[in-house]
């Protein structure tokens, strides 16, 4: 019984990280209507950069996290400011292809700089604590706490700060926001920066579980499945979808076979989409004619 | 500049616009038929590969370029075709039948995926097809009794009338026949009501529906057709690579196929062919490129996929209409030669049009 | 003879009744106009008639047949064609291509025959083309036949949309704001064409329209609706002077 609970706990923990990546997707989509297939690669870059700071240059863990966040946020900002801004108004399909291409480029850059072997990212979280008879490792706990903290911070940012509210306005109606003096282009790049920062943290959090290599980028696809599962464009949907998929993976590898883990997310996604084409929490949209 | 004087509706229905076009395409076919006389076996193999890819490319173009349904899962259909062909050959079916069987099987799977998928649109559909690719790959790995799993599965030599088609020239002719056949079928569909229904679904589903297009049946048709094309090319690909491994038919192949139609130019059969040629020649191009780079960079493992991505990015940014679009511009330049206007193809300034439904 | 009969048609989105128990009928051969302030439910009503929306209550009978639950793509075959308020043409196809899609309801060949382009397919294609050419001639679209929609000015697109609807050879044509976005001259032409389509082709027309001049010129009967409910129905001048209609438009308490 306890082992089942610990499976659930670790599932939720991994799910929290998926939820974070999915949150990054959803933020960008909600604000700029770009579907960022390179989100997983931003996460990968985040993990690599953190590795450089901590292992190669000997920075402290927390300082390294902050620095990583800034570096990836800048990368995200630049991707939008230099590349995506040029194709505003192109059909969504082109944008999807563009971000897929960017993902490939980022992954190639990652392998060129950090090589192909898996790296270990040391963390200060050691040992485990006993919560009501269930042993939870600190790493697992750090993933959950980090995710919850970050979601809270993002929520507060959008709800309470001027910039956050302006971003909400721009996502509701670009043109109107522009006329009201909101610097829409700058805000879009900022949204990219925020979601890059989130991806970086997600990368650092999940690194102890997965090791750091260029395959981390593929986590993005799973998180994308999570976002779609929850209903694309809905923030609660992304969070619920992420946790659900993390949970499903662990449970399926526990109950079925270990390699079911790799496709559990996708089986679940197909099953849900065929029953509810708009995802779990998505709203049914209809083009007005 | 060529002006066409139309005297009969048939001229708009016919396969070729006019006699000149017909002669060009027939000439091209003759050149392709005579190619084995002058080209070495390496290039013949490469051209066979381009022909194989162009079959999938045409199929994916029907689905994505004309019917507007994005699929990031066509690698799976190619895989299904390849494995089906190999399994049927192993079980003792003669070659033409095994290929036909492979096409039928992948068409059916396409229809099976297409039917539920028709309720999905845009991103949801792309994601569903992506999920499908992962699941099919998983099946290839784990259905060991059928596919040999990671150990791989060797494809029995194809024999027609005691004559092995594995050998270069005859395999080339098989590929040429299949590619020309596929192209002809696709062209026929596009100039008939079903093809027009595809385009109407792509441009406006509501209007298509109100004009009497049955969205469900047409989308399923598009899926089934393009899966069938992918299956045919998979069956041929199986013979080219000789031994099948599950990871050859994963997400990377699917994205490579999408690259083909985007780089070629969405919404045109010419584009499908251009894209297939481009992607099949990509390793050669990269090899040439690699020679010019300093060793430290050229030997990097990530170079190939990186260039791959960079090409994709460059096309979307600078030539969204793909190679075909560039070709049309070059043609227009020469057609109007001294009177060429620079602004003819200038892209209009655009604002984000919401594709979200509110 | 009654061509279209609508009884207690209702559509509610959540708690909002976009269309609330509307009943009316359209006689064969008349031009029937629906007017009303913005958001009154005019377009929604059209969407219900062409089955894009599923009504939550009521009944639609067309040509003696209950079409309340008929699938949207079968409506064209039964004889109802429509245009859209914001133009829903197939942007990246030629005008001719758009018109031929209008023949989709009458396609009898299947995809296998088409793949091989059997002679029967060619024969049907020629017939479809013939119908399309007649419409092109009627609406004088010869100059635009091979142009892509994306390259056409707005006014021409409006006409192409009517042409596409005519290609389905409908009994009832639903025009959703045919004059919106057109200049006075083009609006005047549309008026003539609407009458021509009725007089020459014998097609019954229902339209949603804001331009009261055009409404007065072409309509046989006018129905005014407000907030999903019918306010008045009758001859154009009667409806225009109806106090309830005036209050709906101008906000004067009746």
């Amino acid at each position: 019984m306890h082992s089942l609970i610990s499976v659930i706990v670790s599932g939720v923990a991994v799910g929290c990280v998926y939820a974070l990546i999915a949150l990054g997707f959803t933020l960008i989509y909600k604000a700029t209507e770009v579907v960022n297939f390179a989100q997983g690669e931003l996460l990968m870059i985040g993990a690599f950069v953190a590795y450089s700071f901590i292992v190669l240059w000997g920075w402290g863990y927390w300082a390294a996290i902050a620095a990583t966040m800034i570096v990836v946020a800048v990368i995200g900002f630049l991707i939008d400011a230099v590349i995506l801004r040029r194709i505003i108004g192109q059909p969504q399909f082109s944008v999807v292809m563009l971000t897929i291409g960017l993902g490939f480029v980022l992954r190639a850059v990652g392998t060129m700089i950090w090589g192909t072997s898996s790296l270990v990212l040391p963390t200060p979280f050691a040992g485990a604590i006993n919560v009501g008879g269930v042993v939870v490792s600190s790493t697992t706990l750090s993933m959950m706490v980090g995710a919850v903290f970050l979601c809270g911070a993002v929520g507060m940012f959008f709800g309470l700060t001027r910039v956050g509210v302006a971003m909400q306005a721009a996502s509701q109606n670009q043109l109107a926001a522009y006329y009201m003096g909101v610097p829409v282009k700058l805000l879009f790049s900022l949204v990219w920066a925020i979601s890059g920062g989130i991806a970086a943290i997600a990368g650092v959090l999940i690194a102890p579980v997965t090791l750091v290599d260029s395959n981390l980028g593929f986590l993005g696809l799973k998180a994308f499945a999570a976002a779609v599962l929850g209903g694309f464009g809905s923030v609660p949907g992304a969070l619920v979808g992420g946790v659900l998929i993390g949970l499903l993976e662990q449970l399926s590898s526990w109950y079925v076979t270990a390699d079911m883990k790799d496709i559990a997310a996708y089986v679940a996604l197909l099953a849900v989409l065929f029953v509810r084409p708009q995802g779990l929490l998505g709203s049914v949209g209809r083009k007005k004619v | 500049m060529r002006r066409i004087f139309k005297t009969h509706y048939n001229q708009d229905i016919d396969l070729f616009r006019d006699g000149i076009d017909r002669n060009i395409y027939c000439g091209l076919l003759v050149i392709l038929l005579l190619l084995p006389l002058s080209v070495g076996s390496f290039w013949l193999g490469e051209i066979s590969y381009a022909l194989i890819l162009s079959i999938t490319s045409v199929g994916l173009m029907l689905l994505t370029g004309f019917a507007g349904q994005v699929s990031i899962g066509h690698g799976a259909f190619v895989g299904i075709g390849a494995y089906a062909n190999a399994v049927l050959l192993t079980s003792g079916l003669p070659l033409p039948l095994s290929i036909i069987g492979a096409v039928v099987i992948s068409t059916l799977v396409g229809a099976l995926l297409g039917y539920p998928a028709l309720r999905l649109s845009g991103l949801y559909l792309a994601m569903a097809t992506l999920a499908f690719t992962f699941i099919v790959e998983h099946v290839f790995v784990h259905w060991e009794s059928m596919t040999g799993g990671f150990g791989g599965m060797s494809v029995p030599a194809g024999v027609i009338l005691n004559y092995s088609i594995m050998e270069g020239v005859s395999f080339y002719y098989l590929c040429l026949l299949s590619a020309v056949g596929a192209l002809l079928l696709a062209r026929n569909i596009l100039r008939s009501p079903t093809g027009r229904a595809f385009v109407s679904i792509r441009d406006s589903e509501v209007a298509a529906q109100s004009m009497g297009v049955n969205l469900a049946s047409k989308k399923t048709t598009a899926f089934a057709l393009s899966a069938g094309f992918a299956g045919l090319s998979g069956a041929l690909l199986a013979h080219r690579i000789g031994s099948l491994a599950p990871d050859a038919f994963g997400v990377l192949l699917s994205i490579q196929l999408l690259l083909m139609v985007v780089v070629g130019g969405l919404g045109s059969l010419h584009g499908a062919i251009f894209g297939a040629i481009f992607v099949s020649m990509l390793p050669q191009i990269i090899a040439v490129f690699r020679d010019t780079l300093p060793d430290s960079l050229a030997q990097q493992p990530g170079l190939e996929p990186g260039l791959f991505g960079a090409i994709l990015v460059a096309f979307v940014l600078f030539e969204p209409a793909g190679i075909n679009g560039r070709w049309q511009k070059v043609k227009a330049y020469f057609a109007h030669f001294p009177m060429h206007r620079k602004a003819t193809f200038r892209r209009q300034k655009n604002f984000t049009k919401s594709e979200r439904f509110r | 003879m009654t061509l279209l009969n609508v009884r207690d048609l209702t559509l509610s989105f959540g708690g909002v009744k976009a269309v609330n128990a509307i009943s009316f009928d359209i006689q064969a051969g008349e031009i029937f106009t629906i007017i009303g302030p913005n958001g009154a439910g005019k377009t929604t009503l059209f969407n219900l008639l062409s089955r894009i929306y599923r009504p939550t209550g009521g009944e639609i009978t067309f040509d003696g047949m209950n079409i309340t639950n008929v699938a949207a793509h079968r409506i064209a075959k039964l004889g109802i064609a429509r245009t859209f308020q914001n133009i829903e043409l197939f942007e990246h196809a030629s005008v001719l291509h758009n018109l031929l899609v209008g023949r989709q309801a009458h396609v009898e060949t299947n995809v296998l025959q088409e793949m091989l382009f059997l002679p029967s397919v060619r024969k049907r294609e020629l017939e479809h083309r013939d119908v399309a050419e007649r419409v092109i001639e009627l609406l004088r679209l010869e100059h635009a036949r091979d142009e892509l929609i994306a390259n056409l000015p707005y006014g021409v697109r409006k006409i192409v949309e009517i042409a596409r609807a005519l290609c389905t050879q409908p009994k009832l044509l639903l025009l959703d704001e045919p004059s919106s976005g057109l200049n006075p001259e083009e609006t005047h032409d549309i008026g003539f064409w609407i009458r021509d389509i009725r007089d020459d082709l014998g097609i019954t027309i229902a339209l949603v329209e804001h331009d009261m001049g055009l409404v007065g010129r072409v309509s046989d009967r006018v129905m005014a609706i407000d907030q999903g409910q019918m306010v008045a129905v009758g001859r154009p001048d009667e409806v225009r002077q109806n106090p309830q209609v005036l209050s709906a438009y101008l906000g004067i308490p009746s």
Side-chain angles (χ1 to χ4, degrees):
Chain A
M1 191 57 208
H2 276 173
S3 49
L4 175 63
I5 293 179
S6 67
V7 165
I8 290 178
V9 169
S10 66
V12 170
V14 175
C16 281
V17 177
Y18 290 165
L20 274 187
I21 315 173
L23 177 67
F25 274 138
T26 309
L27 286 185
I28 292 186
Y29 179 73
K30 271 188 92 87
T32 68
E33 258 180 65
V34 166
V35 183
N36 180 20
F37 264 89
Q39 192 75 10
E41 278 71 22
L42 285 178
L43 169 140
M44 173 202 76
I45 296 281
F48 274 137
V49 170
Y51 174 84
S52 296
F53 277 122
I54 296 173
V55 177
L56 301 182
W57 301 326
W59 286 37
Y61 185 76
W62 300 105
I65 283 196
T68 305
M69 224 176 124
I70 292 170
V71 169
V72 182
V74 168
I75 295 177
F77 187 95
L78 288 179
I79 288 180
D80 182 63
V82 177
I83 299 175
L84 280 154
R85 197 174 284 175
R86 305 174 59 121
I87 63 161
I88 284 181
Q90 296 288 314
Q92 206 165 38
F93 179 60
S94 325
V95 182
V96 168
M97 292 311 291
L98 184 72
T99 54
I100 288 180
L102 275 177
F104 272 92
V105 173
L106 285 178
R107 205 173 311 145
V109 170
T111 34
M112 281 180 193
I113 300 178
W114 287 279
T116 46
S117 51
S118 299
L119 311 169
V120 180
L121 186 73
T123 60
F125 311 114
I129 48 168
N130 196 318
V131 184
V134 184
V135 179
V136 184
S137 75
S138 312
T139 325
T140 312
L141 208 61
S142 77
M143 284 156 72
M144 292 201 227
V145 172
V148 170
F149 174 75
L150 215 54
C151 289
V154 169
M156 301 235 300
F157 173 77
F158 277 99
L160 302 179
T161 64
R162 252 181 88 85
V163 180
V165 173
M167 280 176 185
Q168 283 197 36
S171 88
Q172 296 268 324
N173 188 337
Q174 259 183 45
L175 206 58
Y178 185 71
Y179 287 151
M180 298 310 288
V182 175
V184 174
K185 286 181 179 174
L186 179 69
L187 283 190
F188 281 5
S189 301
L190 274 181
V191 169
W192 272 81
I194 292 173
S195 120
I198 296 176
I201 300 287
V204 174
L205 287 176
I206 204 160
V209 183
T210 55
L211 299 178
V212 183
D213 59 29
S214 59
N215 285 334
L216 267 185
F218 288 114
L219 280 186
L221 293 182
K222 259 180 206 168
F224 191 55
V228 171
L229 180 72
F232 214 81
S234 137
V235 172
L239 301 181
V240 169
V243 174
L244 257 182
I245 280 191
L247 205 57
L248 266 174
E249 271 185 16
Q250 296 297 328
L251 286 178
S252 62
S253 71
W254 174 256
Y255 279 113
V256 195
T257 53
D259 25 61
M260 258 314 268
K261 193 182 162 189
D262 298 328
I263 59 160
Y266 303 111
V267 175
L269 176 72
L270 272 188
V272 168
L273 284 187
F274 288 164
V275 181
R276 259 182 84 82
Q278 72 277 29
L280 290 176
L281 301 181
S283 50
V284 197
R286 180 146 224 178
K287 192 168 159 186
K288 272 189 90 170
V289 288
Chain B
M1 202 178 151
R2 187 153 33 122
R3 292 240 172 253
I4 294 170
F5 188 67
K6 289 179 183 163
T7 51
H8 196 278
Y9 297 158
N10 268 331
Q11 274 173 283
D12 281 333
I13 297 174
D14 283 338
L15 211 45
F16 303 107
R17 234 172 4 150
D18 58 5
I20 303 174
D21 267 16
R22 190 183 55 227
N23 293 342
I24 291 175
Y25 288 108
C26 289
L28 203 62
L29 186 61
V30 170
I31 293 174
L32 283 173
L33 281 172
L34 296 178
L35 212 57
L37 294 179
S38 59
V39 169
S41 64
F42 172 76
W43 283 107
L44 206 57
E46 290 302 306
I47 294 166
S48 307
Y49 183 51
L51 289 171
I52 294 172
L53 280 189
S54 59
I55 299 172
T56 339
S57 188
V58 165
L60 191 56
M61 191 60 90
L62 280 182
L63 183 67
T64 300
F66 289 97
Q69 311 295 309
V70 179
S71 162
I72 320 186
H74 258 55
F77 292 120
V78 174
I80 290 171
Y83 274 105
N85 185 27
V87 169
L88 291 175
L89 274 178
T90 314
S91 73
L93 228 59
L95 183 80
L97 287 183
S98 72
I99 291 186
I100 291 171
V103 172
V104 170
I105 289 171
S106 49
T107 307
L108 287 180
V109 177
L112 274 179
L113 178 70
Y115 187 71
L118 58 90
R119 290 175 60 195
L120 307 172
S121 58
L123 286 171
Y124 290 93
L125 180 66
M127 203 54 221
T129 53
L130 185 64
F132 174 73
T133 319
F134 281 112
I135 293 169
V136 169
E137 197 183 344
H138 189 80
V139 171
F140 287 157
V141 173
H142 289 276
W143 197 0
E144 287 183 19
S145 58
M146 203 64 138
T147 65
F150 268 128
M153 178 183 198
S154 67
V155 183
V159 175
I160 300 180
L161 305 172
N162 294 329
Y163 188 72
S164 167
I165 60 113
M166 297 307 282
E167 177 253 336
V169 175
S170 44
F171 184 60
Y172 169 76
Y173 280 123
L174 180 64
C175 294
L176 184 61
L177 178 74
S178 312
V180 171
L183 198 57
L184 208 62
L185 291 187
R187 179 82 177 91
N188 280 344
I189 289 168
L190 288 177
R191 61 185 171 134
S192 54
T194 305
R196 288 196 296 268
F198 286 170
V199 173
S200 71
I201 292 173
R202 177 189 72 191
D203 285 359
S204 167
E205 285 196 7
V206 206
Q209 210 176 13
S210 298
M211 292 301 125
V213 175
N214 183 347
L215 297 183
S217 110
K218 292 301 180 222
K219 282 189 191 174
T220 313
T221 308
F223 252 100
L225 278 173
S226 81
F229 279 64
L232 173 59
S233 97
L236 294 171
L237 196 63
H239 287 291
R240 181 181 151 86
I241 51 186
S243 172
L244 305 179
D247 50 354
F249 304 106
V251 187
L252 281 181
L253 179 64
S254 295
I255 290 178
Q256 213 171 0
L257 298 179
L258 258 188
L259 176 83
M260 217 151 58
V261 291
V262 172
V263 166
L266 285 171
S268 102
L269 285 182
H270 282 114
I273 305 294
F274 287 142
I277 294 172
F278 181 77
V279 166
S280 66
M281 296 297 161
L282 204 54
Q284 319 295 335
I285 298 171
I286 288 177
V288 172
F289 202 61
R290 188 169 272 174
D291 291 341
T292 65
L293 287 174
D295 245 17
S296 55
L297 195 59
Q299 295 312 317
Q300 293 285 354
L303 184 69
E304 198 159 321
L307 281 177
F308 197 79
I311 290 167
L312 194 49
V313 171
F315 264 101
V316 175
L317 281 183
F318 302 113
E319 189 56 277
I323 301 176
N324 184 55
R326 180 53 57 184
W327 167 238
Q328 299 299 340
K329 285 172 203 175
V330 171
K331 270 207 307 202
Y333 179 81
F334 284 110
H336 300 107
F337 173 57
M339 319 293 267
H340 175 66
R341 282 174 306 171
K342 242 188 169 157
T344 313
F345 292 104
R346 179 165 313 147
R347 241 192 292 171
Q348 262 179 351
K349 200 158 174 57
N350 252 326
F351 295 97
T352 299
K353 287 187 210 108
S354 179
E355 289 182 31
R356 275 185 295 206
F357 307 138
R358 265 196 284 260
Chain C
M1 189 196 106
T2 306
L3 184 64
L4 181 84
N5 181 296
V6 173
R7 281 289 150 260
D8 297 326
L9 197 63
T10 303
L11 176 74
S12 34
F13 293 113
V16 185
K17 288 207 158 128
V19 171
N20 190 357
I22 287 188
S23 301
F24 62 93
D25 40 42
I26 297 178
Q27 303 299 321
E30 77 173 334
I31 298 179
F32 185 85
T33 306
I34 300 165
I35 60 169
N38 287 327
K42 306 179 298 289
T43 298
T44 314
L45 190 57
F46 265 23
N47 285 343
L48 284 171
L49 294 185
S50 57
R51 300 290 304 105
I52 291 177
Y53 291 162
R54 183 178 292 274
T56 40
E59 216 177 74
I60 310 169
T61 315
F62 176 72
D63 211 7
M65 180 182 167
N66 184 345
I67 60 162
T68 322
N69 290 311
V70 169
H73 67 265
R74 290 190 47 221
I75 289 293
K77 174 87 184 167
L78 293 176
I80 301 181
R82 69 169 292 180
T83 66
F84 297 86
Q85 192 173 350
N86 295 316
I87 302 193
E88 289 284 334
L89 285 169
F90 311 121
E91 283 270 324
H92 305 283
S94 68
V95 169
L96 183 60
H97 188 127
N98 271 271
L99 299 194
L100 287 173
V101 174
R103 299 295 303 157
Q104 206 68 34
H106 304 274
V107 167
E108 280 157 13
T109 49
N110 65 35
V111 69
L112 288 176
Q113 293 167 324
E114 289 167 9
M115 242 178 347
L116 304 171
F117 221 80
L118 298 179
S120 61
V121 178
R122 183 179 290 267
K123 186 168 150 265
R124 300 287 304 172
E125 281 293 280
L126 290 173
E127 289 166 18
H128 294 324
R129 178 69 190 268
D130 202 49
V131 175
E133 285 297 335
R134 277 166 208 269
V135 174
I136 286 178
E137 206 181 347
L138 177 77
L139 297 180
R140 321 234 171 83
L141 282 169
E142 292 90 348
H143 62 100
R145 191 188 284 122
D146 293 319
E147 291 278 350
L148 292 189
I149 299 296
N151 300 336
L152 290 176
Y154 194 83
V156 182
R157 293 189 201 193
K158 280 252 152 186
I159 308 290
V160 174
E161 218 187 14
I162 296 177
R164 183 180 65 183
L166 284 180
C167 280
T168 66
Q169 297 179 315
K171 293 180 194 137
L172 173 64
L173 180 61
L174 309 174
L175 301 176
D176 198 348
E177 298 199 16
S179 81
S180 74
L182 300 186
N183 63 31
E185 201 177 323
E186 288 168 328
T187 307
H188 202 76
D189 288 350
I190 285 269
F192 277 114
W193 267 320
I194 289 173
R195 293 215 83 111
D196 275 359
I197 290 167
R198 195 266 307 265
D199 297 342
D200 296 355
L201 305 178
I203 295 172
T204 310
I205 294 176
L207 67 157
V208 163
E209 186 49 67
H210 277 301
D211 185 320
M212 290 312 283
L214 181 64
V215 171
R217 275 203 307 282
V218 301
S219 318
D220 296 321
R221 279 196 306 152
V222 174
M223 173 170 79
I225 61 176
D226 184 31
Q227 295 178 352
Q229 279 172 313
M230 190 172 89
V231 178
V233 64
R235 287 204 321 274
D237 47 337
E238 283 170 14
V239 171
R240 210 178 321 185
Q241 269 136 36
N242 183 310
Q244 274 175 297
V245 175
L246 287 175
S247 85
Y249 269 101
L250 304 172
I252 306 166
S254 52

